[in-house]
């Protein structure tokens, strides 16, 4: 699986993220949203249509046309593609420890279904932020340093959620995609007889 993440630091004034996602359906039929900041597109099955380089050029052009400025990253799983796009890095080991938040909650909420304009962080996000603060106090700055901690010691140091983060750091390719369907549009046509 190859996943492209279109990450947006700031919102567009011209169109919504759902409109851009609907326009991206011409690139691949498998799309997921993390509102209000990212679109995930599965491009592995479309290799015969375009290369990854060609996809990046097409996606940037499409986003620019709709008024969005996108950072695009491609990876083998959803969380690492999001983290690569957010931090503009291409290696999991080079990512800062704050990237654990993207690995723990790649969809932006606990349930995988994002509630638009979520005002309060979820319980998982609060727990991961506490884990990140604890890691920083221990001098752990990157995910490479986090991965050096033996798995048996993670729950006692950072809680049970640290094991989930570690598993997703090692392989998150089996993460299920939430179902996204473009909004339905209805058009009415009134046909009058010539008389």
């Amino acid at each position: 699986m190859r996943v492209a993440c279109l990450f947006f630091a700031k919102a567009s004034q011209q169109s919504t993220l759902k409109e851009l996602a609907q326009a991206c359906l011409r690139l691949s039929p498998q799309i997921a949203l993390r509102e209000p900041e990212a679109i995930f597109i599965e491009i592995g099955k479309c290799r015969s249509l375009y290369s990854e380089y060609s996809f990046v050029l097409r996606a940037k052009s499409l986003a620019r046309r709709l008024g969005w400025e996108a950072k695009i990253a491609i990876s083998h799983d959803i969380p690492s593609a999001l983290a690569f796009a957010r931090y503009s890095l291409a290696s999991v080991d080079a990512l800062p420890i704050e990237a654990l938040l993207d690995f723990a909650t790649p969809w932006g909420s606990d349930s995988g279904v994002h509630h638009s304009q979520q005002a309060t962080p979820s319980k998982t996000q609060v727990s991961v932020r506490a884990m990140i603060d604890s890691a920083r106090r221990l001098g752990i700055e990157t995910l490479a340093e986090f991965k050096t901690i033996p798995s048996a010691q993670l729950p006692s140091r950072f809680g049970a959620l640290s094991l989930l983060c570690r598993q997703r750091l090692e392989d998150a390719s089996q993460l299920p995609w939430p179902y996204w369907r473009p909004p339905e549009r209805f058009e009415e046509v009134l046909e009058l007889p010539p008389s």
Side-chain angles (χ1 to χ4, degrees):
M1 175 166 71
R2 295 295 284 171
V3 178
C5 175
L6 282 67
F7 181 78
F8 309 100
K10 57 183 176 178
S12 169
Q13 300 299 322
Q14 296 177 2
S15 63
T16 66
L17 192 66
K18 289 180 182 178
E19 289 172 354
L20 178 58
Q22 189 170 357
C24 287
L25 282 172
R26 67 180 74 169
L27 301 173
S28 175
Q30 189 171 356
I31 292 178
L33 295 180
R34 177 187 167 132
E35 291 188 81
E37 61 186 358
I39 298 174
F40 299 99
I41 304 171
E42 202 288 318
I43 62 171
K45 296 177 183 123
C46 301
R47 286 186 187 144
S48 60
L49 299 175
Y50 47 77
S51 66
E52 289 182 2
Y53 177 74
S54 173
F55 168 81
V56 170
L57 294 177
R58 289 177 189 203
K60 280 190 176 188
S61 173
L62 186 61
R64 235 180 276 120
R65 248 185 285 145
L66 292 174
W68 292 86
E69 192 60 40
K71 290 192 214 175
I72 300 175
I74 298 173
S75 184
H76 60 282
D77 60 34
I78 295 158
S80 59
L82 175 61
F84 292 165
R86 183 186 305 273
Y87 296 104
S88 300
L89 295 170
S91 168
V92 172
D93 292 339
L95 289 169
I97 193 72
E98 286 82 13
L100 283 178
L101 195 56
D102 291 334
F103 282 88
T105 57
W107 305 117
S109 67
D110 292 338
S111 64
V113 178
H114 183 75
H115 306 289
S116 60
Q117 305 302 328
Q118 187 176 9
T120 59
S122 67
K123 290 179 182 180
T124 303
Q125 290 171 331
V126 170
S127 299
V128 172
R129 285 193 176 113
M131 182 174 63
I132 291 169
D133 291 339
S134 298
R136 282 219 174 268
R137 284 193 297 272
L138 292 172
I140 299 170
E141 298 291 327
T142 65
L143 292 185
E145 295 169 350
F146 179 78
K147 287 167 54 175
T148 61
I149 300 171
S151 295
Q153 295 178 9
L154 284 174
S156 62
R157 288 185 182 200
F158 303 111
L161 191 58
S162 62
L163 286 175
L164 172 72
C165 292
R166 180 61 157 288
Q167 288 173 345
R168 288 195 179 161
L169 277 172
E170 293 170 358
D171 182 28
S173 61
Q174 301 303 317
L175 207 74
W177 286 66
Y179 180 69
W180 181 77
R181 178 177 47 186
E184 293 182 13
R185 290 178 20 190
F186 297 98
E187 290 184 19
E188 289 184 22
V189 177
L190 181 62
E191 292 185 18
L192 299 173
S195 59

